[in-house]
Amino acid sequence: MNRNLIEKIRKISGFEDKEMFRGAFEVVPVGKRASRPLKQFKPKNNKVMPLEKAIDAVGLRDGMTISFHHCLRNGDLVMQKVIKVIADKGIKNLTLSASSLSLVQDALLPYLENETITAIDTSGARGKIGKFIQSNRLQKPAIFRTHGGRARAIETGELHIDVAFIAAPACDIYGNINGVQGKSACGSLGYAMPDSEYADHVIAVTDGLSQIPLDYVSISQTKVDYVSEIDDIGDPAGISTGSIRISKSPTELVIAKYVADVIKYSGVFKDNMIFQFGSGGISISAADFLKKEMEKQNIRAAAGIGGATGYLVDMLEHGYIKTFFDPQDFDQLAIRSLYNNRNHHEISASDYANPFNGNPYVNLLDVAVLSATEMDVNFNVNVLTDSYGRLMGAPGGHPDAAAGADVTIVAMPLLRGRLPMILDNVQTVVTPGETVDVVVTEYGIAVNPKRDDLYNNLKKSNLPVVSIEELYIKAQKLAGKAAPLEHGNNICGIVEYRDGTIIDVIYDI
């Protein structure tokens, strides 16, 4: 990051003392965890009240920070319903802290325009919200954090939440919450857990109110101040799919087979390995190819980590994975598994990926298979903006898993449409190249030069191992050199690395 840009960032109110990214493990934490107010709840008191009254009871006022989780994904209705009630009360100038924002949150645009919400911190933004951010209309730049980075910010007090609104598929009258029961079941509530632990006040918003204690508890009643029942917290069609399946794309299947073979020859393919696969077609297909090799060699994984899919829990049920640590679920099979399978464990975003706790689960990974929007010749990865610099994705757990895994594999096509995906420089650095070990494309496999051990292992196979420069040249020959992006000079977004340092910025368009 050049000196002029650093000086520009430090002129932004609130960012004067922020450090710039220096390396994946350069920041050493100091201090102690944040605290929350003490509470007393007398016997026979009733936590259940209408949302309007609950908001009054917690004393929400202008300038505060409110938070939401994204486990309902594109089916979420809670954010827009809660913020409408807040706006109707005339409360303004709020910071919206969301573990991520999906296209369904386009419905929040009027509340940005009327300044009910004037600041945003999130993992992802897209659609109309992304365009609003890049029109430079927020009072200060949006902050984009990784899943582990958001948990870290909450637990250190850097991100102080005044009121957390937790979408609760199932909630009893005492305030116990789970995500595995009810008509709006979404699975693990891992991304709501840090909010429930550290927010000054917590309101559970549910469409599955139980008059007796729940038999499965994700978030304890001791964390919840009030319970508000509404008709619908989400649209099941947008919350999860029936199951996420193996790709039918010939290109994706070629990449997936290469990924499985890279793992096979990497040196980490052994009994009791620990891995993470994503939810995309390439990742699920790679898991399928790997499972066949595991069966052939009688190898079993000690654990799977990360978002759970039906395919991965099928591997769990059939003994290919011995246990699973799950911060979020993507389909109905995974949701049911979390409720029924004693070897399927719900974990918080902090447990999963916070770099400033005792040992996040990502640190256990032998291998992580991740996707990318684009990569550059230094192995830096962009998963936040598209090739034109427009907000369309999220860091999510990408930088967290890449930092933790012994072998980080990025699987991606060399071209999308007619655009090359390996460039001189990515539009937005989200995951630093020092934490990426291999890129797998349909045209070849490149190993980060820092991993001589991995390169030597793969060269013993018949895999098409080439240099990243060769892949870059191939992409240019096929698609032509990408035109430089034209953007404004105003910084409208700050991209934080998981340790809280600034790794890149988003400009207005």
Side-chain angles (χ1 to χ4, degrees):
M1 192 175 292
N2 65 58
R3 184 174 297 277
N4 288 337
L5 180 55
I6 292 171
E7 290 176 356
K8 194 171 184 178
I9 292 169
R10 286 182 171 156
K11 290 179 181 177
I12 301 171
S13 177
F15 294 91
E16 298 90 346
D17 299 323
K18 289 291 286 187
E19 295 184 42
M20 304 303 123
F21 176 76
R22 303 192 307 272
F25 297 100
E26 291 301 310
V27 175
V28 178
V30 294
K32 295 186 177 182
R33 292 177 185 268
S35 61
R36 60 179 297 184
L38 294 172
K39 306 285 178 72
Q40 184 184 56
F41 196 84
K42 295 180 180 179
K44 308 302 181 184
N45 278 12
N46 184 12
K47 286 186 177 181
V48 180
M49 63 176 62
L51 183 58
E52 294 84 351
K53 290 187 177 180
I55 290 171
D56 291 338
V58 296
L60 185 67
R61 60 182 183 274
D62 291 2
M64 284 187 165
T65 296
I66 57 175
S67 78
F68 300 86
H69 69 81
H70 76 284
C71 302
L72 298 175
R73 282 173 291 281
N74 214 39
D76 176 61
L77 298 176
V78 170
M79 270 191 236
Q80 57 183 283
K81 290 185 176 184
V82 168
I83 293 173
K84 180 184 185 305
V85 173
I86 292 170
D88 288 346
K89 290 178 177 294
I91 299 171
K92 298 279 189 180
N93 196 31
L94 297 175
T95 295
L96 170 63
S97 174
S99 53
S100 199
L101 295 168
S102 302
L103 287 174
V104 70
Q105 270 81 51
D106 281 353
L108 300 181
L109 187 61
Y111 307 113
L112 295 171
E113 293 173 332
N114 71 11
E115 297 190 343
T116 299
I117 298 164
T118 55
I120 291 175
D121 76 71
T122 181
S123 181
R126 40 187 65 80
K128 293 179 181 178
I129 302 299
K131 289 179 181 177
F132 187 90
I133 291 169
Q134 290 192 284
S135 67
N136 204 37
R137 294 167 67 188
L138 288 175
Q139 289 186 3
K140 58 183 179 180
I143 302 174
F144 295 92
R145 293 187 168 104
T146 75
H147 288 327
R150 181 175 187 271
R152 171 203 54 77
I154 291 171
E155 294 188 8
T156 60
E158 180 182 337
L159 170 56
H160 176 77
I161 298 167
D162 294 292
V163 185
F165 294 90
I166 297 182
C171 185
D172 61 38
I173 59 175
Y174 312 103
N176 296 299
I177 301 170
N178 76 49
V180 295
Q181 295 172 303
K183 65 179 182 179
S184 302
C186 63
S188 175
L189 295 178
Y191 295 119
M193 290 178 182
D195 305 54
S196 72
E197 289 277 355
Y198 290 91
D200 281 355
H201 299 283
V202 175
I203 299 175
V205 183
T206 187
D207 59 4
L209 187 63
S210 172
Q211 298 297 316
I212 60 173
L214 299 179
D215 61 3
Y216 181 110
V217 176
S218 303
I219 294 173
S220 163
Q221 64 189 47
T222 60
K223 311 291 194 306
V224 177
D225 296 290
Y226 300 104
V227 176
S228 296
E229 186 178 20
I230 62 175
D231 291 338
D232 293 291
I233 66 166
D235 175 5
I239 295 172
S240 65
T241 61
S243 64
I244 295 175
R245 301 186 182 279
I246 296 167
S247 175
K248 295 182 179 180
S249 161
T251 298
E252 290 191 347
L253 289 173
V254 168
I255 297 170
K257 182 64 168 66
Y258 283 159
V259 168
D261 287 341
V262 166
I263 297 171
K264 176 182 174 182
Y265 292 107
S266 66
V268 300
F269 185 62
K270 56 194 175 186
D271 211 33
N272 289 327
M273 64 181 172
I274 298 174
F275 55 58
Q276 174 174 325
F277 287 89
S279 62
I282 293 175
S283 290
I284 295 300
S285 301
D288 182 62
F289 284 121
L290 191 69
K291 184 182 82 169
K292 291 171 183 173
E293 192 63 34
M294 292 169 70
E295 186 173 18
K296 188 184 302 182
Q297 297 193 35
N298 194 30
I299 285 174
R300 298 295 182 265
I305 294 172
T309 63
Y311 190 86
L312 294 175
V313 299
D314 183 73
M315 290 180 69
L316 175 68
E317 289 170 5
H318 287 88
Y320 293 96
I321 305 172
K322 296 177 183 177
T323 192
F324 203 100
F325 300 103
D326 171 9
Q328 69 171 323
D329 295 300
F330 291 104
D331 58 34
Q332 288 294 324
L333 294 176
I335 294 168
R336 288 197 292 271
S337 171
L338 181 60
Y339 182 52
N340 293 316
N341 191 331
R342 65 183 295 273
N343 295 318
H344 189 165
H345 307 285
E346 187 171 13
I347 61 172
S348 75
S350 181
D351 294 339
Y352 169 57
N354 178 357
F356 290 178
N357 70 22
N359 196 24
Y361 280 89
V362 293
N363 284 1
L364 309 183
L365 290 168
D366 292 303
V367 62
V369 179
L370 307 172
S371 61
T373 304
E374 56 187 17
M375 177 183 280
D376 65 28
V377 292
N378 294 310
F379 288 82
N380 296 309
V381 174
N382 175 19
V383 288
L384 180 57
T385 57
D386 66 14
S387 298
Y388 302 100
R390 297 174 299 206
L391 288 166
M392 49 70 67
H398 197 289
D400 302 308
D406 184 22
V407 176
T408 298
I409 300 170
V410 170
M412 58 185 285
L414 193 63
L415 306 178
R416 285 193 175 92
R418 292 294 300 168
L419 294 174
M421 293 296 106
I422 294 184
L423 310 167
D424 293 301
N425 297 288
V426 291
Q427 302 292 355
T428 309
V429 178
V430 174
T431 299
E434 67 178 277
T435 64
V436 175
D437 301 301
V438 186
V439 58
V440 177
T441 76
E442 71 273 37
Y443 288 96
I445 298 160
V447 180
N448 193 319
K450 72 183 180 66
R451 291 299 303 265
D452 286 340
D453 59 327
L454 197 51
Y455 177 81
N456 292 333
N457 285 341
L458 296 184
K459 284 298 286 185
K460 295 174 186 175
S461 71
N462 61 355
L463 292 171
V465 179
V466 298
S467 69
I468 190 74
E469 290 78 14
E470 288 176 273
L471 288 179
Y472 169 79
I473 292 168
K474 181 70 173 180
Q476 305 309 309
K477 284 183 178 179
L478 290 171
K481 193 170 179 67
L485 172 70
E486 293 185 10
H487 56 67
N489 293 316
N490 297 307
I491 296 173
C492 61
I494 300 292
V495 185
E496 283 191 3
Y497 190 58
R498 60 200 298 256
D499 60 10
T501 58
I502 297 174
I503 195 168
D504 212 335
V505 298
I506 305 294
Y507 288 99
D508 62 331
I509 292 179

